[in-house]
Amino acid sequence: MAEAHQAVAFQFTISPEGINLHLSYQALNQIYLSGLRSWKKRISRIKNRIIKGAYPASPSSWLFIVIAILATMYMQSDPSMGLIAKIQEHLPLSLSLSPQGQTMLSALLFSTLLWMSLILTLRFCLKLLLSYHRWMFEQHGHMSTKTKVWATLVKLLSSRKPLLYSYQTSLPHLPVPPIKDTLERYLESVKPLLDLDGFQRMRRLTSEFEKSLGNRLQRYLRLKALWATNYVSDWWEEYVYLRSRSPIMVNSNYYGMDFLYVTPTPNQAARAGNTITALFLYRRKVNREELNPSRIPGTVIPLCAAQCERMFNTTRTPGEETGKRTFIQTCRHKYALRKWPLMQSLCLSDVLQHWQDSEFVAVYHRGRYFRLWVYRAGRLLSPREIQFQIQRILDDPSPPSPGEEKLGALTAGNRTPWARVRKQFFSSGVNKQSLDCIEKAAFFVTLDDQAEGMKGENPSENLDRYAKSLLHGKCYDRWFDKSFSVVVYKNGKNGLNAEHSWADAPIVAHLWEFTLATDTFHLGYNSDGNCRGDVDHSLPHPQRLSWDIPFEVQTQISESLAVAQALADEVDCHVFPFRKFGKGLIKKMKLSPDSFVQLALQLAYYRDRGTFCLTYEASMTRLFREGRTETVRSCSNESCAFVLALEGGEDREQCRKLLRKTAEKHQNLYRLAMTGSGIDRHLFCLYVVSKYLGVESPFLKEVLSEPWRLSTSQTPVQQMELFDLVNHPEFISLGGGFGPVADDGYGVSYIIMGEDMINFHVSCKHSCKETDSHKFGCQVSQAMVDLMTLLNPDFRDTTEANSDEQT
């Protein structure tokens, strides 16, 4: 009750003697400071809008132009060629200004218009420059004169320090590639996967599509590209993610891990305190746009930052019926490779909801939900104070209320039952208030009562269990709808689980790199493992959320949990660090590390299954405004030829030539995907258009039903300057991974750490007798060794092939 009384700013009582007014100066002070913080944020946003609006020029350039115009006029010259006089003629007659004042006002208006025109011109020039991508296809170390001039101009126009979103209006729009080029590249990608009859049949379907329906769909798509900022992203978000009715746990969400060798503190509350603080510091940088825009490594070329906007205070809410459709079709996606209804007879769609900055987080511990305020009087609590509050939650002995403990299972099961239950039982009263606290929180925190990490009697098994815990946990102790959920374990290890629809893995990876580095190197811990700083013991206790869960909802919770548990039990995860060499040695062989790993995966898959498969590698299209991802079809004619030659025992020199040819081909495919000339997003959008028009295409139907049995993704390391791996080599991140993709395939994520390590995350399904994540991990390790041995005769494998999986 003390907290409730403190929250009242004033009280009054009426008595025969009159009205007695009692002011709470502490509460009024809190209100004042909170309002002051809000106004500071508004002023900061206005300032940033002005700076962004003027980029690539500066706001101060307006003053320079005004002074220059006035100085020229003072010297009896008219730089406007009569425009200032024209403006003066059209000024309102009601202005009670002298002729000199009117001239001055006209000059200011002309200067402002000239300044705005120069900004638009510079922005247009920068957009034209950023639309040039031929530099990516030039041989390394051999830059053409045209590219040199282009690079100089880009540096000149980007010389001012930009804010996070400064480049957004200067980024080019994603172009629609010619349909003929897309179809030719598609046929080339499936040729090694089909027999002669199958390929001829597919060629016939492709030709018929191009001559009949294809050009009609292409015209509609070009029309959308002229109107929309990005012709792919809105459809991709809606139809691939938000309209899926299957569980997002495992199928769509992905995870990120802590350091491999180091746990900064064994104190769970302390680790949570620093982690939460670091995340709010990152949010502050995003809000103030103090983060540097991401760029292509080694260049000044910016990447789109639009996905950062919904990082915090965002929740995916289950959708309700939105309208009627008359057809059902299926498509497949990289992470959630399930049948997703593009247009359903009763069309359901989830909604991404984003709120203004929340000053609290939602916390789950042993079946109870809490709201933890991290701001007081407009001040972010210190890490030590957040630790103090987290410890209060850990020490709270109260039991869960009926139905509360496994409530989160609703977010792990099928979407339609969750939407129905949410509408019926969480739209009013105490349930709505508590659900709002979770959904409007900055992010979600789980205080897990298990200990995870590498250390123990069986490090390999421990890592696998750690991955599964982050991917799905107990299926009810994460809130899978939140943009991301942080998990802090009993032994101080941490990690996160991220929802996929709002952003792709590189955005979350950037956030997590900052969090780990800030937690360890900036905030730090004292000698006894606690957070640094002082504690205000008068802080109000974290608020326990209340629920009224009727029997019908508890029944649905049990059903959703059963669906989620069956899905989680199917997952076979294997995480292993490959330490025999890394990108340092690969680069000495003059090969791209990513191409090398992709070729090793092709070789490993062939040895595992005796055949080749359609392979998905995620690339990004963030060179364009609101760009997300594109597919690199890594299984090519060249990669198949190399694998067959190596396994067939052909001459070593011939195999080397084929290997380098394959790596070059892969690099070219990756560049095409990055520059808007990929295959799959174009075909996907053509398919969506066909559904809107109500026409059937046998070609598109078959293309979008092809299974990706090998789905791969590299987790980029974007802020190496935050980690001193030379002096602190133990601070190596494990990266992250995702669930199995096809029922009979593999999902593989990898992160290239430093010069001498590559960490792999492999997933598949127990129900498929032909897949085994541990066996495939051994195949990957051996393939990496065999490729390096082929390239470098001096390289010798001094350990057993599977020793990389021991830690």
Side-chain angles (χ1 to χ4, degrees):
M1 293 297 295
E3 293 82 5
H5 286 299
Q6 289 176 8
V8 179
F10 65 91
Q11 297 174 345
F12 66 91
T13 56
I14 301 176
S15 65
E17 290 78 18
I19 297 176
N20 294 322
L21 183 65
H22 304 282
L23 293 176
S24 171
Y25 292 103
Q26 181 182 3
L28 290 174
N29 185 54
Q30 298 282 335
I31 293 171
Y32 165 74
L33 293 173
S34 224
L36 186 63
R37 176 173 174 265
S38 296
W39 275 105
K40 284 181 178 178
K41 286 169 64 176
R42 290 191 187 114
I43 293 170
S44 176
R45 288 192 182 111
I46 293 171
K47 173 188 170 185
N48 287 341
R49 286 194 191 106
I50 294 172
I51 294 174
K52 283 186 300 183
Y55 198 85
S58 66
S60 59
S61 61
W62 174 82
L63 184 60
F64 174 80
I65 290 176
V66 169
I67 293 173
I69 294 295
L70 293 176
T72 307
M73 292 177 64
Y74 180 77
M75 298 172 66
Q76 307 299 316
S77 178
D78 184 6
S80 71
M81 295 181 290
L83 287 177
I84 292 178
K86 287 285 185 184
I87 293 173
Q88 187 172 350
E89 290 176 9
H90 290 84
L91 288 176
L93 297 176
S94 58
L95 288 177
S96 56
L97 293 174
S98 64
Q100 186 178 4
Q102 292 184 14
T103 302
M104 181 73 71
L105 179 59
S106 301
L108 287 175
L109 289 173
F110 172 77
S111 300
T112 302
L113 291 172
L114 178 61
W115 178 67
M116 293 173 66
S117 300
L118 289 174
I119 289 173
L120 292 175
T121 302
L122 289 173
R123 191 175 293 166
F124 178 74
C125 291
L126 183 57
K127 180 178 284 192
L128 286 179
L129 291 170
L130 295 178
S131 300
Y132 174 75
H133 299 128
R134 295 309 306 171
W135 63 274
M136 294 184 66
F137 296 87
E138 294 182 353
Q139 187 177 354
H140 185 68
H142 296 81
M143 188 182 295
S144 66
T145 303
K146 181 179 180 181
T147 300
K148 288 178 180 177
V149 173
W150 165 82
T152 302
L153 291 174
V154 171
K155 288 180 181 178
L156 185 64
L157 286 178
S158 305
S159 56
R160 281 192 58 242
K161 179 176 174 58
L163 298 175
L164 176 61
Y165 302 120
S166 289
Y167 287 110
Q168 289 303 104
T169 54
S170 300
L171 291 173
H173 289 196
L174 181 68
V176 180
I179 192 168
K180 184 177 180 65
D181 293 350
T182 298
L183 296 178
E184 287 178 354
R185 284 193 287 268
Y186 169 77
L187 285 174
E188 182 185 0
S189 71
V190 298
K191 188 175 182 180
L193 306 174
L194 301 173
D195 57 24
L196 183 59
D197 292 340
F199 182 71
Q200 291 300 330
R201 173 181 163 278
M202 183 54 70
R203 174 174 281 177
R204 185 175 66 255
L205 283 175
T206 304
S207 178
E208 292 172 356
F209 172 74
E210 182 181 2
K211 292 176 182 177
S212 58
L213 186 59
N215 287 317
R216 180 187 172 194
L217 302 179
Q218 180 81 347
R219 285 193 294 272
Y220 279 98
L221 204 54
R222 288 188 182 279
L223 183 63
K224 186 196 176 188
L226 289 174
W227 178 256
T229 305
N230 189 296
Y231 79 91
V232 175
S233 295
D234 57 339
W235 285 349
W236 187 253
E237 179 178 300
E238 179 179 358
Y239 296 125
V240 171
Y241 294 110
L242 298 180
R243 290 210 182 185
S244 174
R245 298 294 90 196
S246 60
I248 61 175
M249 184 199 78
V250 175
N251 290 335
S252 180
N253 288 28
Y254 53 96
Y255 65 87
M257 285 184 161
D258 197 2
F259 296 117
L260 175 60
Y261 300 116
V262 175
T263 304
T265 178
N267 186 319
Q268 184 179 19
R271 190 76 195 278
N274 266 11
T275 300
I276 292 171
T277 302
L279 288 166
F280 273 94
L281 291 176
Y282 189 91
R283 190 182 75 169
R284 180 186 292 172
K285 284 181 173 290
V286 170
N287 290 343
R288 296 178 179 177
E289 301 186 38
E290 294 173 349
L291 291 174
N292 293 322
S294 296
R295 304 176 188 271
I296 293 181
T299 74
V300 295
I301 309 304
L303 301 176
C304 180
Q307 295 177 53
C308 295
E309 295 171 356
R310 297 181 294 183
M311 184 176 294
F312 296 90
N313 331 304
T314 300
T315 298
R316 172 176 175 166
T317 57
E320 302 173 18
E321 183 179 318
T322 58
K324 291 190 176 182
R325 299 292 184 267
T326 58
F327 41 81
I328 298 176
Q329 285 296 341
T330 61
C331 188
R332 292 177 180 265
H333 173 239
K334 168 188 169 186
Y335 294 124
L337 196 69
R338 302 290 180 274
K339 292 184 177 180
W340 56 269
L342 175 60
M343 305 288 182
Q344 297 191 7
S345 55
L346 287 175
C347 183
L348 303 175
S349 178
D350 289 357
V351 177
L352 273 177
Q353 295 198 46
H354 177 72
W355 290 271
Q356 290 298 319
D357 285 356
S358 304
E359 297 188 346
F360 59 88
V361 295
V363 181
Y364 177 91
H365 177 245
R366 291 186 179 175
R368 294 89 43 81
Y369 291 88
F370 296 84
R371 173 160 65 174
L372 171 60
W373 292 93
V374 294
Y375 277 89
R376 194 182 192 204
R379 173 185 67 86
L380 178 64
L381 299 183
S382 70
R384 187 70 182 86
E385 288 173 324
I386 296 177
Q387 175 189 345
F388 176 71
Q389 294 290 72
I390 291 290
Q391 192 61 53
R392 282 176 161 178
I393 293 175
L394 293 173
D395 295 339
D396 188 324
S398 61
S401 61
E404 180 182 15
E405 180 181 10
K406 299 179 180 179
L407 180 64
L410 292 171
T411 70
N414 291 316
R415 305 300 293 170
T416 303
W418 172 212
R420 186 183 66 251
V421 167
R422 185 178 187 275
K423 180 180 180 181
Q424 185 174 355
F425 297 101
F426 293 86
S427 297
S428 61
V430 66
N431 285 346
K432 183 182 188 307
Q433 294 173 10
S434 294
L435 183 62
D436 282 348
C437 288
I438 294 175
E439 293 184 338
K440 294 181 180 180
F443 50 90
F444 191 80
V445 179
T446 294
L447 301 174
D448 204 298
D449 53 5
Q450 301 294 320
E452 298 292 352
M454 181 189 72
K455 294 185 178 179
E457 294 181 1
N458 194 328
S460 180
E461 264 186 35
N462 292 344
L463 286 180
D464 299 346
R465 188 175 61 249
Y466 180 24
K468 280 179 65 67
S469 175
L470 288 173
L471 184 61
H472 54 69
K474 298 174 183 175
C475 302
Y476 59 79
D477 55 350
R478 319 279 189 258
W479 200 265
F480 294 101
D481 287 353
K482 285 299 290 182
S483 54
F484 66 91
S485 299
V486 176
V487 184
V488 184
Y489 293 98
K490 188 176 181 179
N491 60 343
K493 215 70 180 168
N494 70 4
L496 88 166
N497 180 288
E499 200 277 319
H500 207 320
S501 61
W502 65 274
D504 300 305
I507 303 298
V508 177
H510 193 279
L511 162 73
W512 197 236
E513 287 173 3
F514 177 91
T515 302
L516 291 178
T518 303
D519 166 24
T520 306
F521 301 115
H522 175 60
L523 299 174
Y525 302 89
N526 59 27
S527 57
D528 58 359
N530 290 313
C531 298
R532 295 169 179 164
D534 298 322
V535 179
D536 179 1
H537 291 275
S538 67
L539 289 171
H541 281 259
Q543 176 190 350
R544 173 77 187 275
L545 301 186
S546 300
W547 306 92
D548 179 15
I549 311 295
F551 178 76
E552 186 176 345
V553 176
Q554 294 184 40
T555 301
Q556 183 56 58
I557 290 172
S558 299
E559 292 176 3
S560 295
L561 181 58
V563 171
Q565 195 63 60
L567 182 59
D569 291 343
E570 273 273 70
V571 178
D572 177 20
C573 283
H574 183 43
V575 180
F576 64 96
F578 180 84
R579 302 191 192 90
K580 292 179 180 178
F581 59 86
K583 71 175 182 181
L585 186 56
I586 297 172
K587 284 187 172 182
K588 285 183 180 178
M589 300 295 106
K590 298 183 178 179
L591 284 177
S592 158
D594 184 65
S595 296
F596 186 94
V597 173
Q598 285 292 324
L599 190 49
L601 293 174
Q602 291 297 316
L603 179 58
Y605 187 88
Y606 182 81
R607 288 173 173 175
D608 184 66
R609 302 290 288 273
T611 185
F612 299 104
C613 72
L614 195 61
T615 304
Y616 185 118
E617 181 187 6
S619 172
M620 60 90 180
T621 55
R622 289 170 61 207
L623 288 169
F624 304 97
R625 191 171 180 181
E626 295 184 12
R628 292 199 60 164
T629 61
E630 178 57 278
T631 305
V632 179
R633 295 184 169 223
S634 301
C635 182
S636 62
N637 292 300
E638 289 78 5
S639 67
C640 294
F642 165 73
V643 170
L644 291 174
L646 184 66
E647 293 300 279
E650 290 194 19
D651 177 71
R652 177 185 291 266
E653 189 58 36
Q654 176 65 14
C655 288
R656 283 195 198 122
K657 290 180 180 178
L658 289 174
L659 188 155
R660 294 190 179 279
K661 184 179 179 181
T662 301
E664 185 178 339
K665 175 67 175 180
H666 176 266
Q667 283 290 93
N668 190 60
L669 290 173
Y670 204 98
R671 294 178 187 122
L672 287 170
M674 286 181 63
T675 53
S677 296
I679 299 169
D680 292 275
R681 299 303 178 270
H682 186 198
L683 294 179
F684 161 77
C685 288
L686 291 173
Y687 178 75
V688 175
V689 174
S690 75
K691 295 296 102 183
Y692 277 118
L693 296 178
V695 295
E696 292 293 332
S697 168
F699 168 72
L700 290 175
K701 183 177 180 179
E702 184 162 338
V703 168
L704 271 76
S705 63
E706 294 170 342
W708 302 99
R709 291 193 173 89
L710 185 57
S711 182
T712 70
S713 178
Q714 180 188 168
T715 303
V717 180
Q718 304 164 78
Q719 304 171 90
M720 280 303 297
E721 69 276 5
L722 299 179
F723 302 91
D724 184 4
L725 295 183
V726 175
N727 296 318
H728 301 283
E730 68 276 14
F731 289 97
I732 290 178
S733 172
L734 266 170
F738 51 90
V741 177
D743 290 341
D744 58 348
Y746 293 104
V748 182
S749 174
Y750 53 95
I751 181 171
I752 301 173
M753 285 302 304
E755 298 293 309
D756 303 306
M757 178 182 284
I758 302 174
N759 295 324
F760 287 90
H761 300 248
V762 181
S763 65
C764 64
K765 286 197 166 185
H766 286 298
S767 59
C768 179
K769 303 303 180 185
E770 297 179 342
T771 58
D772 184 309
S773 65
H774 291 75
K775 178 184 174 185
F776 190 69
C778 291
Q779 294 283 20
V780 172
S781 295
Q782 188 59 52
M784 295 279 289
V785 171
D786 290 347
L787 291 185
M788 184 53 68
T789 303
L790 175 67
L791 288 169
N792 182 10
D794 295 331
F795 179 80
R796 291 291 180 268
D797 182 16
T798 58
T799 60
E800 294 297 326
N802 61 355
S803 64
D804 298 293
E805 300 175 35
Q806 306 300 320
T807 53

